[in-house]
């Protein structure tokens, strides 16, 4: 074998090892938010449109009879403070319908708190495990779809 072929094989082995070590680090994510708050789950919507109502919801595997309170704290950029909304659950699903006529604004910020007799859970949390409210810009749907059309999506 020539020197170049040996170097190529060594280079391929190193790249192969690097690729699998990256995949392993992604699978073995030590982000505390993944472990500190596994009893309550929320998926943030990618787009929230202005002048449309939206469901803000979270799920939990805590039995309904163990939940003392489930609360949404929400504010828009037109409000000075977060407002508190008590939620009632149905088989672990807790929902709030955001209505822009009742709570107008250009930005929406919110987080959820769930209290049991033994513990209090909050979501979303950051990588340190601290409560980190969702902060979403309310998008003008007409402008959004014009932009998508220009981008051919």
């Amino acid at each position: 074998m020539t020197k170049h072929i040996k170097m190529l094989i060594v280079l391929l082995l190193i790249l192969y090892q690097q690729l699998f070590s990256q995949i392993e680090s992604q699978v073995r994510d030590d982000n505390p938010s993944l472990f500190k708050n596994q009893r309550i789950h929320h998926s943030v919507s990618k787009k929230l449109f202005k002048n449309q109502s939206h469901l803000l919801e979270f799920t939990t595997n805590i039995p309904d009879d163990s939940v003392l309170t489930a609360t949404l704290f929400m504010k828009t950029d037109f409000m000075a403070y977060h407002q508190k909304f008590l939620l009632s659950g149905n088989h672990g699903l807790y929902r709030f319908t955001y209505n822009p006529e009742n709570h107008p604004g250009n930005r929406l910020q919110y987080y959820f708190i769930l209290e049991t007799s033994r513990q209090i859970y909050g979501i979303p949390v950051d990588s340190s495990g601290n409560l980190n409210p969702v902060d979403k810009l309310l998008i003008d749907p007409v402008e959004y779809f014009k932009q998508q059309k220009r981008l051919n999506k």
Side-chain angles (χ1 to χ4, degrees):
M1 279 188 166
T2 67
K3 250 184 177 178
H4 296 294
I5 294 176
K6 287 181 182 179
M7 289 291 273
L8 182 63
I9 291 173
V10 169
L11 182 63
L12 287 174
L13 286 172
I14 290 171
L15 289 174
Y16 180 79
Q17 180 185 11
Q18 288 292 328
L19 175 67
F20 280 103
S21 67
Q22 283 181 344
I23 291 172
E24 182 178 348
S25 70
Q26 290 174 359
V27 171
R28 295 176 187 250
D29 192 353
D30 292 333
N31 183 342
S33 65
L34 296 176
F35 303 108
K36 290 185 178 183
N37 209 9
Q38 291 185 2
R39 304 294 306 267
I40 180 172
H41 306 279
H42 171 64
S43 181
V44 179
S45 297
K46 292 182 181 179
K47 298 178 282 299
L48 295 178
F49 292 120
K50 284 183 183 178
N51 303 322
Q52 292 183 8
S53 59
H54 297 281
L55 285 178
L56 305 177
E57 57 191 14
F58 73 90
T59 59
T60 182
N61 59 0
I62 298 171
D64 288 343
D65 60 351
S66 298
V67 175
L68 299 178
T69 60
T71 311
L72 166 74
F73 289 90
M74 180 199 73
K75 76 175 224 147
T76 67
D77 55 332
F78 291 5
M79 300 176 186
Y81 302 102
H82 283 87
Q83 292 186 5
K84 178 179 178 178
F85 299 93
L86 293 176
L87 307 175
S88 57
N90 185 13
H91 301 290
L93 175 63
Y94 294 83
R95 284 187 168 155
F96 175 81
T97 303
Y98 165 72
N99 185 341
E101 291 178 9
N102 299 336
H103 310 287
N106 296 316
R107 286 193 95 72
L108 180 64
Q109 190 180 76
Y110 65 92
Y111 59 94
F112 298 100
I113 301 292
L114 185 122
E115 182 182 359
T116 67
S117 60
R118 295 184 181 183
Q119 199 163 0
I120 296 175
Y121 301 92
I123 197 160
V125 293
D126 62 15
S127 60
S128 303
N130 297 321
L131 196 60
N132 185 23
V134 172
D135 189 8
K136 297 292 283 186
L137 179 66
L138 297 172
I139 302 168
D140 180 355
V142 174
E143 292 301 317
Y144 173 79
F145 288 109
K146 281 182 183 178
Q147 182 182 25
Q148 293 300 306
K149 187 175 180 181
R150 281 193 300 268
L151 297 173
N152 294 324
K153 287 187 175 182

